Amino acid sequence: MLGVDGPLERPLYAFPQFGLLAMGIAAVALGLARAAIDALVEIAGGKTPQGSARPLAARPAAQNDVSHAEALLRSARAF
């Protein structure tokens, strides 16, 4: 519990209190990242950058950036 002078004598409470709070924040951040990647992939097929004939999904640089973001997200989830 927050505000207790010492840790309770249970395994769960041996974990630092702010570490428990950080897990919740990390879960939200990972969820936001997942939603952002999914939204980009969804709209990339229909979006054509100004001055280009190819959609965003057909550009190698965009595919590289999405794959890099996906790798970072998956490694963060695994960590």
Side-chain angles (χ1 to χ4, degrees):
M1 280 196 282
L2 293 175
V4 175
D5 290 335
L8 298 174
E9 297 300 322
R10 295 186 189 130
L12 175 63
Y13 297 104
F15 194 77
Q17 294 172 354
F18 287 106
L20 290 172
L21 296 174
M23 286 190 299
I25 294 169
V28 171
L30 290 172
L32 289 171
R34 172 84 273 148
I37 292 171
D38 290 345
L40 175 62
V41 169
E42 184 179 328
I43 66 171
K47 290 284 185 179
T48 303
Q50 188 173 6
S52 177
R54 293 187 304 171
L56 190 58
R59 298 176 139 239
Q63 293 178 9
N64 183 46
D65 290 344
V66 170
S67 65
H68 187 249
E70 185 73 35
L72 287 173
L73 175 62
R74 289 184 184 195
S75 66
R77 283 185 75 90
F79 183 67

Short mmCIF file of all heavy atoms in Angstrom, two decimals:
data_model
loop_
_atom_site.label_atom_id
_atom_site.label_comp_id
_atom_site.label_asym_id
_atom_site.label_seq_id
_atom_site.Cartn_x
_atom_site.Cartn_y
_atom_site.Cartn_z
N MET A 1 0.84 -1.19 0.00
CA MET A 1 0.00 0.00 0.00
C MET A 1 0.87 1.24 0.00
O MET A 1 1.94 1.24 0.59
CB MET A 1 -0.87 0.01 1.25
CG MET A 1 -2.08 -0.87 1.15
SD MET A 1 -3.29 -0.48 2.42
CE MET A 1 -2.55 -1.29 3.81
N LEU A 2 0.40 2.27 -0.62
CA LEU A 2 1.11 3.54 -0.61
C LEU A 2 0.94 4.19 0.75
O LEU A 2 -0.13 4.15 1.35
CB LEU A 2 0.58 4.46 -1.71
CG LEU A 2 0.85 4.02 -3.14
CD1 LEU A 2 0.17 4.95 -4.12
CD2 LEU A 2 2.32 3.95 -3.42
N GLY A 3 1.97 4.79 1.24
CA GLY A 3 1.89 5.51 2.50
C GLY A 3 2.21 4.66 3.71
O GLY A 3 2.20 5.15 4.83
N VAL A 4 2.51 3.38 3.53
CA VAL A 4 2.87 2.51 4.65
C VAL A 4 4.36 2.70 4.93
O VAL A 4 5.16 2.83 4.02
CB VAL A 4 2.56 1.04 4.31
CG1 VAL A 4 3.03 0.11 5.41
CG2 VAL A 4 1.07 0.87 4.05
N ASP A 5 4.72 2.72 6.20
CA ASP A 5 6.12 2.98 6.57
C ASP A 5 7.07 1.89 6.07
O ASP A 5 8.18 2.18 5.66
CB ASP A 5 6.24 3.10 8.09
CG ASP A 5 5.59 4.38 8.60
OD1 ASP A 5 5.49 5.34 7.81
OD2 ASP A 5 5.17 4.40 9.77
N GLY A 6 6.67 0.66 6.10
CA GLY A 6 7.53 -0.41 5.63
C GLY A 6 6.76 -1.37 4.75
O GLY A 6 5.53 -1.35 4.73
N PRO A 7 7.48 -2.21 4.01
CA PRO A 7 6.78 -3.15 3.13
C PRO A 7 6.04 -4.22 3.95
O PRO A 7 6.48 -4.60 5.04
CB PRO A 7 7.89 -3.76 2.29
CG PRO A 7 9.13 -3.56 3.08
CD PRO A 7 8.92 -2.32 3.91
N LEU A 8 4.94 -4.67 3.41
CA LEU A 8 4.22 -5.78 4.03
C LEU A 8 5.02 -7.05 3.80
O LEU A 8 5.80 -7.15 2.85
CB LEU A 8 2.82 -5.90 3.44
CG LEU A 8 1.91 -4.69 3.64
CD1 LEU A 8 0.60 -4.89 2.87
CD2 LEU A 8 1.62 -4.44 5.10
N GLU A 9 4.82 -8.02 4.64
CA GLU A 9 5.59 -9.27 4.54
C GLU A 9 4.94 -10.25 3.57
O GLU A 9 4.62 -11.37 3.92
CB GLU A 9 5.73 -9.89 5.94
CG GLU A 9 6.51 -9.03 6.92
CD GLU A 9 7.93 -8.76 6.45
OE1 GLU A 9 8.56 -9.67 5.87
OE2 GLU A 9 8.41 -7.64 6.66
N ARG A 10 4.73 -9.81 2.34
CA ARG A 10 4.17 -10.66 1.29
C ARG A 10 5.00 -10.44 0.02
O ARG A 10 5.51 -9.35 -0.20
CB ARG A 10 2.71 -10.29 1.03
CG ARG A 10 1.83 -10.57 2.23
CD ARG A 10 0.37 -10.34 1.89
NE ARG A 10 -0.40 -10.40 3.10
CZ ARG A 10 -1.28 -9.49 3.48
NH1 ARG A 10 -1.51 -8.45 2.72
NH2 ARG A 10 -1.95 -9.63 4.59
N PRO A 11 5.13 -11.47 -0.82
CA PRO A 11 5.98 -11.32 -2.01
C PRO A 11 5.59 -10.16 -2.92
O PRO A 11 6.47 -9.47 -3.44
CB PRO A 11 5.81 -12.66 -2.73
CG PRO A 11 5.40 -13.62 -1.67
CD PRO A 11 4.61 -12.82 -0.68
N LEU A 12 4.29 -9.93 -3.12
CA LEU A 12 3.86 -8.86 -4.01
C LEU A 12 4.35 -7.51 -3.51
O LEU A 12 4.77 -6.65 -4.28
CB LEU A 12 2.34 -8.83 -4.13
CG LEU A 12 1.75 -7.68 -4.94
CD1 LEU A 12 2.21 -7.77 -6.40
CD2 LEU A 12 0.24 -7.68 -4.87
N TYR A 13 4.36 -7.31 -2.22
CA TYR A 13 4.71 -6.02 -1.66
C TYR A 13 6.22 -5.83 -1.51
O TYR A 13 6.68 -4.77 -1.11
CB TYR A 13 3.99 -5.81 -0.33
CG TYR A 13 2.50 -5.78 -0.53
CD1 TYR A 13 1.71 -6.87 -0.17
CD2 TYR A 13 1.89 -4.69 -1.13
CE1 TYR A 13 0.35 -6.85 -0.38
CE2 TYR A 13 0.53 -4.67 -1.34
CZ TYR A 13 -0.24 -5.75 -0.97
OH TYR A 13 -1.59 -5.73 -1.18
N ALA A 14 7.00 -6.85 -1.83
CA ALA A 14 8.45 -6.69 -1.85
C ALA A 14 8.88 -5.90 -3.09
O ALA A 14 9.97 -5.36 -3.14
CB ALA A 14 9.14 -8.05 -1.82
N PHE A 15 8.00 -5.84 -4.09
CA PHE A 15 8.25 -5.07 -5.30
C PHE A 15 8.10 -3.59 -4.95
O PHE A 15 7.20 -3.22 -4.21
CB PHE A 15 7.22 -5.48 -6.37
CG PHE A 15 7.57 -5.03 -7.75
CD1 PHE A 15 8.54 -5.69 -8.49
CD2 PHE A 15 6.92 -3.96 -8.33
CE1 PHE A 15 8.85 -5.28 -9.77
CE2 PHE A 15 7.22 -3.55 -9.60
CZ PHE A 15 8.19 -4.22 -10.33
N PRO A 16 8.97 -2.71 -5.46
CA PRO A 16 8.85 -1.27 -5.13
C PRO A 16 7.48 -0.71 -5.52
O PRO A 16 6.93 -1.05 -6.57
CB PRO A 16 9.95 -0.62 -5.97
CG PRO A 16 10.87 -1.71 -6.34
CD PRO A 16 10.08 -2.98 -6.35
N GLN A 17 6.95 0.15 -4.67
CA GLN A 17 5.61 0.69 -4.89
C GLN A 17 5.51 1.45 -6.20
O GLN A 17 4.54 1.32 -6.93
CB GLN A 17 5.23 1.60 -3.73
CG GLN A 17 5.09 0.85 -2.43
CD GLN A 17 4.89 1.77 -1.25
OE1 GLN A 17 4.98 2.98 -1.39
NE2 GLN A 17 4.64 1.20 -0.10
N PHE A 18 6.50 2.25 -6.51
CA PHE A 18 6.44 3.02 -7.74
C PHE A 18 6.65 2.13 -8.97
O PHE A 18 6.25 2.48 -10.07
CB PHE A 18 7.41 4.20 -7.72
CG PHE A 18 6.96 5.29 -6.80
CD1 PHE A 18 7.56 5.50 -5.58
CD2 PHE A 18 5.88 6.09 -7.15
CE1 PHE A 18 7.12 6.50 -4.74
CE2 PHE A 18 5.43 7.08 -6.31
CZ PHE A 18 6.05 7.29 -5.10
N GLY A 19 7.25 0.98 -8.78
CA GLY A 19 7.37 0.01 -9.87
C GLY A 19 6.00 -0.53 -10.27
O GLY A 19 5.73 -0.76 -11.44
N LEU A 20 5.13 -0.73 -9.29
CA LEU A 20 3.77 -1.17 -9.58
C LEU A 20 3.01 -0.11 -10.37
O LEU A 20 2.27 -0.41 -11.29
CB LEU A 20 3.03 -1.49 -8.28
CG LEU A 20 3.50 -2.72 -7.53
CD1 LEU A 20 2.82 -2.82 -6.17
CD2 LEU A 20 3.24 -3.98 -8.34
N LEU A 21 3.20 1.15 -10.02
CA LEU A 21 2.55 2.23 -10.75
C LEU A 21 3.10 2.32 -12.17
O LEU A 21 2.36 2.59 -13.12
CB LEU A 21 2.76 3.56 -10.03
CG LEU A 21 2.12 3.67 -8.64
CD1 LEU A 21 2.53 4.97 -7.97
CD2 LEU A 21 0.62 3.55 -8.72
N ALA A 22 4.39 2.12 -12.33
CA ALA A 22 5.03 2.21 -13.65
C ALA A 22 4.49 1.15 -14.60
O ALA A 22 4.39 1.39 -15.81
CB ALA A 22 6.54 2.09 -13.52
N MET A 23 4.12 -0.02 -14.08
CA MET A 23 3.59 -1.07 -14.95
C MET A 23 2.28 -0.61 -15.61
O MET A 23 2.04 -0.90 -16.78
CB MET A 23 3.37 -2.35 -14.16
CG MET A 23 4.65 -3.07 -13.82
SD MET A 23 4.41 -4.72 -13.16
CE MET A 23 3.47 -4.42 -11.69
N GLY A 24 1.45 0.09 -14.86
CA GLY A 24 0.21 0.60 -15.43
C GLY A 24 0.45 1.65 -16.49
O GLY A 24 -0.21 1.67 -17.54
N ILE A 25 1.41 2.52 -16.25
CA ILE A 25 1.75 3.56 -17.22
C ILE A 25 2.33 2.94 -18.48
O ILE A 25 2.00 3.34 -19.60
CB ILE A 25 2.71 4.59 -16.59
CG1 ILE A 25 1.99 5.34 -15.48
CG2 ILE A 25 3.26 5.54 -17.64
CD1 ILE A 25 2.90 6.18 -14.61
N ALA A 26 3.18 1.94 -18.30
CA ALA A 26 3.78 1.26 -19.45
C ALA A 26 2.72 0.56 -20.28
O ALA A 26 2.78 0.57 -21.52
CB ALA A 26 4.84 0.27 -18.98
N ALA A 27 1.73 -0.04 -19.63
CA ALA A 27 0.68 -0.73 -20.37
C ALA A 27 -0.11 0.24 -21.24
O ALA A 27 -0.44 -0.07 -22.39
CB ALA A 27 -0.26 -1.44 -19.39
N VAL A 28 -0.39 1.42 -20.72
CA VAL A 28 -1.11 2.44 -21.50
C VAL A 28 -0.25 2.88 -22.68
O VAL A 28 -0.74 3.00 -23.82
CB VAL A 28 -1.50 3.63 -20.62
CG1 VAL A 28 -2.04 4.78 -21.45
CG2 VAL A 28 -2.52 3.21 -19.58
N ALA A 29 1.02 3.12 -22.45
CA ALA A 29 1.91 3.57 -23.53
C ALA A 29 2.02 2.50 -24.62
O ALA A 29 2.01 2.84 -25.82
CB ALA A 29 3.30 3.89 -22.97
N LEU A 30 2.11 1.24 -24.24
CA LEU A 30 2.18 0.16 -25.24
C LEU A 30 0.88 0.06 -26.02
O LEU A 30 0.88 -0.18 -27.23
CB LEU A 30 2.51 -1.17 -24.56
CG LEU A 30 3.93 -1.29 -24.01
CD1 LEU A 30 4.06 -2.57 -23.19
CD2 LEU A 30 4.95 -1.25 -25.12
N GLY A 31 -0.24 0.26 -25.36
CA GLY A 31 -1.53 0.22 -26.04
C GLY A 31 -1.67 1.37 -27.04
O GLY A 31 -2.19 1.18 -28.15
N LEU A 32 -1.20 2.55 -26.65
CA LEU A 32 -1.24 3.69 -27.56
C LEU A 32 -0.34 3.46 -28.77
O LEU A 32 -0.71 3.79 -29.91
CB LEU A 32 -0.81 4.96 -26.83
CG LEU A 32 -1.80 5.50 -25.80
CD1 LEU A 32 -1.16 6.62 -25.00
CD2 LEU A 32 -3.06 5.97 -26.48
N ALA A 33 0.83 2.89 -28.54
CA ALA A 33 1.74 2.61 -29.65
C ALA A 33 1.13 1.59 -30.61
O ALA A 33 1.21 1.74 -31.83
CB ALA A 33 3.08 2.10 -29.11
N ARG A 34 0.50 0.55 -30.05
CA ARG A 34 -0.15 -0.46 -30.89
C ARG A 34 -1.25 0.16 -31.74
O ARG A 34 -1.37 -0.10 -32.95
CB ARG A 34 -0.73 -1.56 -30.00
CG ARG A 34 -1.60 -2.58 -30.68
CD ARG A 34 -0.82 -3.71 -31.33
NE ARG A 34 -0.42 -3.34 -32.67
CZ ARG A 34 0.69 -3.75 -33.27
NH1 ARG A 34 1.53 -4.54 -32.67
NH2 ARG A 34 0.99 -3.36 -34.47
N ALA A 35 -2.07 1.01 -31.13
CA ALA A 35 -3.16 1.66 -31.85
C ALA A 35 -2.63 2.59 -32.94
O ALA A 35 -3.20 2.67 -34.03
CB ALA A 35 -4.04 2.43 -30.89
N ALA A 36 -1.53 3.30 -32.66
CA ALA A 36 -0.95 4.21 -33.65
C ALA A 36 -0.42 3.45 -34.86
O ALA A 36 -0.64 3.86 -36.01
CB ALA A 36 0.15 5.04 -33.01
N ILE A 37 0.26 2.35 -34.62
CA ILE A 37 0.79 1.55 -35.74
C ILE A 37 -0.36 0.98 -36.55
O ILE A 37 -0.35 1.02 -37.79
CB ILE A 37 1.72 0.44 -35.22
CG1 ILE A 37 3.00 1.05 -34.63
CG2 ILE A 37 2.07 -0.55 -36.34
CD1 ILE A 37 3.88 0.04 -33.91
N ASP A 38 -1.37 0.44 -35.88
CA ASP A 38 -2.52 -0.13 -36.58
C ASP A 38 -3.24 0.93 -37.41
O ASP A 38 -3.65 0.67 -38.55
CB ASP A 38 -3.50 -0.76 -35.59
CG ASP A 38 -2.94 -2.03 -34.96
OD1 ASP A 38 -1.95 -2.57 -35.48
OD2 ASP A 38 -3.51 -2.46 -33.94
N ALA A 39 -3.40 2.14 -36.88
CA ALA A 39 -4.06 3.22 -37.61
C ALA A 39 -3.25 3.62 -38.84
O ALA A 39 -3.81 3.86 -39.92
CB ALA A 39 -4.28 4.41 -36.70
N LEU A 40 -1.93 3.69 -38.68
CA LEU A 40 -1.08 4.05 -39.82
C LEU A 40 -1.18 3.01 -40.92
O LEU A 40 -1.32 3.35 -42.11
CB LEU A 40 0.37 4.21 -39.37
CG LEU A 40 1.38 4.47 -40.50
CD1 LEU A 40 1.06 5.77 -41.22
CD2 LEU A 40 2.78 4.46 -39.97
N VAL A 41 -1.11 1.74 -40.55
CA VAL A 41 -1.20 0.66 -41.54
C VAL A 41 -2.55 0.70 -42.24
O VAL A 41 -2.64 0.49 -43.46
CB VAL A 41 -0.95 -0.71 -40.87
CG1 VAL A 41 -1.30 -1.86 -41.80
CG2 VAL A 41 0.49 -0.81 -40.41
N GLU A 42 -3.61 1.02 -41.51
CA GLU A 42 -4.95 1.07 -42.08
C GLU A 42 -5.11 2.18 -43.12
O GLU A 42 -5.70 1.98 -44.17
CB GLU A 42 -5.97 1.25 -40.97
CG GLU A 42 -7.41 1.23 -41.43
CD GLU A 42 -8.38 1.39 -40.29
OE1 GLU A 42 -8.06 0.95 -39.18
OE2 GLU A 42 -9.45 1.98 -40.52
N ILE A 43 -4.55 3.34 -42.82
CA ILE A 43 -4.75 4.47 -43.75
C ILE A 43 -3.66 4.57 -44.82
O ILE A 43 -3.85 5.29 -45.81
CB ILE A 43 -4.85 5.81 -43.00
CG1 ILE A 43 -3.53 6.17 -42.33
CG2 ILE A 43 -5.99 5.82 -42.04
CD1 ILE A 43 -3.49 7.57 -41.77
N ALA A 44 -2.55 3.85 -44.66
CA ALA A 44 -1.43 3.99 -45.59
C ALA A 44 -1.78 3.56 -47.00
O ALA A 44 -1.23 4.10 -47.97
CB ALA A 44 -0.22 3.22 -45.08
N GLY A 45 -2.68 2.61 -47.16
CA GLY A 45 -3.04 2.15 -48.50
C GLY A 45 -3.80 3.18 -49.30
O GLY A 45 -3.74 3.19 -50.53
N GLY A 46 -4.51 4.07 -48.62
CA GLY A 46 -5.31 5.06 -49.33
C GLY A 46 -4.69 6.43 -49.39
O GLY A 46 -5.14 7.28 -50.15
N LYS A 47 -3.67 6.68 -48.61
CA LYS A 47 -3.03 8.00 -48.58
C LYS A 47 -1.92 8.07 -49.61
O LYS A 47 -1.06 7.21 -49.69
CB LYS A 47 -2.43 8.29 -47.20
CG LYS A 47 -3.45 8.52 -46.13
CD LYS A 47 -4.03 9.88 -46.28
CE LYS A 47 -4.98 10.17 -45.13
NZ LYS A 47 -5.56 11.47 -45.20
N THR A 48 -1.95 9.13 -50.40
CA THR A 48 -0.89 9.38 -51.37
C THR A 48 -0.23 10.71 -51.01
O THR A 48 -0.91 11.74 -50.97
CB THR A 48 -1.45 9.46 -52.80
OG1 THR A 48 -2.14 8.24 -53.07
CG2 THR A 48 -0.36 9.64 -53.82
N PRO A 49 1.07 10.69 -50.72
CA PRO A 49 1.74 11.94 -50.39
C PRO A 49 1.65 12.94 -51.54
O PRO A 49 1.62 12.56 -52.71
CB PRO A 49 3.19 11.52 -50.15
CG PRO A 49 3.12 10.07 -49.81
CD PRO A 49 1.95 9.54 -50.60
N GLN A 50 1.62 14.20 -51.18
CA GLN A 50 1.52 15.26 -52.18
C GLN A 50 2.72 15.20 -53.13
O GLN A 50 3.86 15.08 -52.70
CB GLN A 50 1.47 16.62 -51.50
CG GLN A 50 1.16 17.76 -52.43
CD GLN A 50 0.97 19.06 -51.67
OE1 GLN A 50 1.17 19.13 -50.47
NE2 GLN A 50 0.59 20.10 -52.38
N GLY A 51 2.46 15.25 -54.40
CA GLY A 51 3.52 15.21 -55.40
C GLY A 51 3.98 13.81 -55.74
O GLY A 51 4.99 13.63 -56.40
N SER A 52 3.26 12.79 -55.30
CA SER A 52 3.64 11.41 -55.57
C SER A 52 2.46 10.67 -56.18
O SER A 52 1.30 10.98 -55.91
CB SER A 52 4.06 10.72 -54.28
OG SER A 52 4.36 9.36 -54.51
N ALA A 53 2.75 9.69 -57.00
CA ALA A 53 1.70 8.88 -57.61
C ALA A 53 1.45 7.60 -56.83
O ALA A 53 0.42 6.96 -56.97
CB ALA A 53 2.08 8.54 -59.05
N ARG A 54 2.42 7.21 -56.01
CA ARG A 54 2.32 5.96 -55.25
C ARG A 54 1.71 6.22 -53.87
O ARG A 54 2.01 7.21 -53.23
CB ARG A 54 3.69 5.33 -55.05
CG ARG A 54 4.34 4.85 -56.31
CD ARG A 54 5.61 4.10 -56.03
NE ARG A 54 6.53 4.94 -55.26
CZ ARG A 54 7.66 4.52 -54.72
NH1 ARG A 54 8.01 3.27 -54.87
NH2 ARG A 54 8.43 5.33 -54.05
N PRO A 55 0.89 5.28 -53.40
CA PRO A 55 0.37 5.43 -52.03
C PRO A 55 1.49 5.24 -51.00
O PRO A 55 2.55 4.67 -51.31
CB PRO A 55 -0.68 4.33 -51.92
CG PRO A 55 -0.35 3.35 -52.98
CD PRO A 55 0.36 4.10 -54.07
N LEU A 56 1.24 5.69 -49.83
CA LEU A 56 2.23 5.61 -48.75
C LEU A 56 2.65 4.16 -48.48
O LEU A 56 3.82 3.89 -48.21
CB LEU A 56 1.65 6.24 -47.48
CG LEU A 56 2.57 6.46 -46.31
CD1 LEU A 56 3.74 7.35 -46.70
CD2 LEU A 56 1.81 7.07 -45.15
N ALA A 57 1.72 3.23 -48.59
CA ALA A 57 2.02 1.82 -48.33
C ALA A 57 3.00 1.23 -49.34
O ALA A 57 3.66 0.24 -49.06
CB ALA A 57 0.74 1.01 -48.32
N ALA A 58 3.11 1.84 -50.52
CA ALA A 58 4.01 1.32 -51.56
C ALA A 58 5.42 1.90 -51.46
O ALA A 58 6.29 1.51 -52.23
CB ALA A 58 3.43 1.61 -52.94
N ARG A 59 5.65 2.79 -50.52
CA ARG A 59 6.96 3.42 -50.39
C ARG A 59 7.85 2.58 -49.46
O ARG A 59 7.47 2.29 -48.33
CB ARG A 59 6.83 4.83 -49.84
CG ARG A 59 6.03 5.70 -50.75
CD ARG A 59 5.81 7.07 -50.17
NE ARG A 59 5.99 8.01 -51.26
CZ ARG A 59 6.88 8.97 -51.29
NH1 ARG A 59 7.65 9.19 -50.25
NH2 ARG A 59 6.99 9.74 -52.34
N PRO A 60 9.04 2.20 -49.91
CA PRO A 60 9.94 1.39 -49.09
C PRO A 60 10.31 2.07 -47.76
O PRO A 60 10.42 1.39 -46.73
CB PRO A 60 11.18 1.19 -49.96
CG PRO A 60 10.69 1.38 -51.36
CD PRO A 60 9.58 2.39 -51.27
N ALA A 61 10.48 3.37 -47.76
CA ALA A 61 10.84 4.06 -46.52
C ALA A 61 9.72 3.96 -45.49
O ALA A 61 9.98 3.77 -44.29
CB ALA A 61 11.16 5.52 -46.82
N ALA A 62 8.48 4.05 -45.94
CA ALA A 62 7.35 3.93 -45.02
C ALA A 62 7.26 2.51 -44.47
O ALA A 62 7.02 2.32 -43.27
CB ALA A 62 6.06 4.30 -45.73
N GLN A 63 7.47 1.51 -45.31
CA GLN A 63 7.46 0.13 -44.84
C GLN A 63 8.57 -0.12 -43.84
O GLN A 63 8.38 -0.82 -42.83
CB GLN A 63 7.57 -0.82 -46.03
CG GLN A 63 6.37 -0.79 -46.94
CD GLN A 63 6.51 -1.70 -48.13
OE1 GLN A 63 7.45 -2.50 -48.22
NE2 GLN A 63 5.58 -1.59 -49.06
N ASN A 64 9.74 0.45 -44.11
CA ASN A 64 10.87 0.31 -43.19
C ASN A 64 10.54 0.95 -41.84
O ASN A 64 10.81 0.37 -40.78
CB ASN A 64 12.12 0.94 -43.79
CG ASN A 64 13.33 0.76 -42.91
OD1 ASN A 64 13.59 -0.33 -42.41
ND2 ASN A 64 14.07 1.84 -42.71
N ASP A 65 9.96 2.13 -41.86
CA ASP A 65 9.63 2.83 -40.62
C ASP A 65 8.57 2.08 -39.81
O ASP A 65 8.66 1.99 -38.58
CB ASP A 65 9.17 4.26 -40.91
CG ASP A 65 10.29 5.14 -41.41
OD1 ASP A 65 11.47 4.77 -41.25
OD2 ASP A 65 9.98 6.22 -41.98
N VAL A 66 7.57 1.54 -40.49
CA VAL A 66 6.54 0.77 -39.79
C VAL A 66 7.13 -0.50 -39.19
O VAL A 66 6.82 -0.86 -38.05
CB VAL A 66 5.35 0.45 -40.73
CG1 VAL A 66 4.39 -0.55 -40.10
CG2 VAL A 66 4.61 1.72 -41.08
N SER A 67 7.98 -1.18 -39.94
CA SER A 67 8.59 -2.41 -39.40
C SER A 67 9.50 -2.10 -38.23
O SER A 67 9.57 -2.86 -37.26
CB SER A 67 9.35 -3.16 -40.49
OG SER A 67 10.45 -2.41 -40.96
N HIS A 68 10.18 -0.97 -38.26
CA HIS A 68 11.04 -0.56 -37.14
C HIS A 68 10.19 -0.25 -35.91
O HIS A 68 10.52 -0.67 -34.80
CB HIS A 68 11.87 0.66 -37.54
CG HIS A 68 12.87 1.05 -36.53
ND1 HIS A 68 12.77 2.20 -35.80
CD2 HIS A 68 13.99 0.43 -36.08
CE1 HIS A 68 13.77 2.27 -34.96
NE2 HIS A 68 14.53 1.21 -35.10
N ALA A 69 9.08 0.45 -36.10
CA ALA A 69 8.17 0.75 -34.99
C ALA A 69 7.57 -0.53 -34.42
O ALA A 69 7.44 -0.68 -33.19
CB ALA A 69 7.07 1.70 -35.46
N GLU A 70 7.22 -1.46 -35.28
CA GLU A 70 6.67 -2.74 -34.82
C GLU A 70 7.70 -3.52 -34.01
O GLU A 70 7.38 -4.10 -32.97
CB GLU A 70 6.23 -3.56 -36.04
CG GLU A 70 5.55 -4.86 -35.71
CD GLU A 70 4.15 -4.68 -35.17
OE1 GLU A 70 3.44 -3.77 -35.60
OE2 GLU A 70 3.77 -5.49 -34.30
N ALA A 71 8.95 -3.52 -34.46
CA ALA A 71 10.01 -4.21 -33.72
C ALA A 71 10.24 -3.57 -32.35
O ALA A 71 10.41 -4.28 -31.35
CB ALA A 71 11.31 -4.21 -34.54
N LEU A 72 10.23 -2.24 -32.31
CA LEU A 72 10.40 -1.56 -31.02
C LEU A 72 9.25 -1.88 -30.07
O LEU A 72 9.47 -2.12 -28.88
CB LEU A 72 10.50 -0.05 -31.23
CG LEU A 72 11.79 0.48 -31.82
CD1 LEU A 72 11.66 1.97 -32.13
CD2 LEU A 72 12.94 0.23 -30.87
N LEU A 73 8.04 -1.88 -30.59
CA LEU A 73 6.88 -2.17 -29.76
C LEU A 73 6.93 -3.60 -29.23
O LEU A 73 6.73 -3.84 -28.04
CB LEU A 73 5.59 -1.96 -30.56
CG LEU A 73 4.30 -2.35 -29.84
CD1 LEU A 73 4.09 -1.52 -28.60
CD2 LEU A 73 3.12 -2.25 -30.78
N ARG A 74 7.24 -4.55 -30.09
CA ARG A 74 7.29 -5.95 -29.65
C ARG A 74 8.41 -6.20 -28.65
O ARG A 74 8.25 -6.95 -27.70
CB ARG A 74 7.42 -6.87 -30.86
CG ARG A 74 6.16 -6.94 -31.67
CD ARG A 74 6.30 -7.93 -32.80
NE ARG A 74 5.10 -7.91 -33.63
CZ ARG A 74 4.82 -8.86 -34.50
NH1 ARG A 74 5.63 -9.89 -34.67
NH2 ARG A 74 3.72 -8.78 -35.23
N SER A 75 9.55 -5.54 -28.85
CA SER A 75 10.65 -5.71 -27.89
C SER A 75 10.30 -5.07 -26.55
O SER A 75 10.64 -5.59 -25.50
CB SER A 75 11.95 -5.13 -28.44
OG SER A 75 11.88 -3.74 -28.58
N ALA A 76 9.58 -3.94 -26.58
CA ALA A 76 9.16 -3.31 -25.34
C ALA A 76 8.16 -4.19 -24.60
O ALA A 76 8.22 -4.31 -23.37
CB ALA A 76 8.57 -1.94 -25.61
N ARG A 77 7.24 -4.81 -25.32
CA ARG A 77 6.28 -5.71 -24.69
C ARG A 77 6.99 -6.91 -24.08
O ARG A 77 6.64 -7.37 -23.01
CB ARG A 77 5.24 -6.19 -25.70
CG ARG A 77 4.18 -5.16 -26.01
CD ARG A 77 3.13 -5.77 -26.93
NE ARG A 77 2.25 -6.66 -26.23
CZ ARG A 77 1.10 -6.28 -25.65
NH1 ARG A 77 0.73 -5.04 -25.68
NH2 ARG A 77 0.34 -7.17 -25.06
N ALA A 78 7.98 -7.43 -24.78
CA ALA A 78 8.71 -8.59 -24.29
C ALA A 78 9.54 -8.25 -23.05
O ALA A 78 9.71 -9.07 -22.15
CB ALA A 78 9.62 -9.15 -25.38
N PHE A 79 10.03 -7.02 -23.01
CA PHE A 79 10.84 -6.60 -21.86
C PHE A 79 9.96 -6.49 -20.64
O PHE A 79 10.28 -6.88 -19.57
CB PHE A 79 11.50 -5.26 -22.15
CG PHE A 79 12.41 -4.78 -21.05
CD1 PHE A 79 13.58 -5.46 -20.77
CD2 PHE A 79 12.07 -3.69 -20.28
CE1 PHE A 79 14.41 -5.03 -19.75
CE2 PHE A 79 12.90 -3.25 -19.27
CZ PHE A 79 14.07 -3.93 -18.99
#
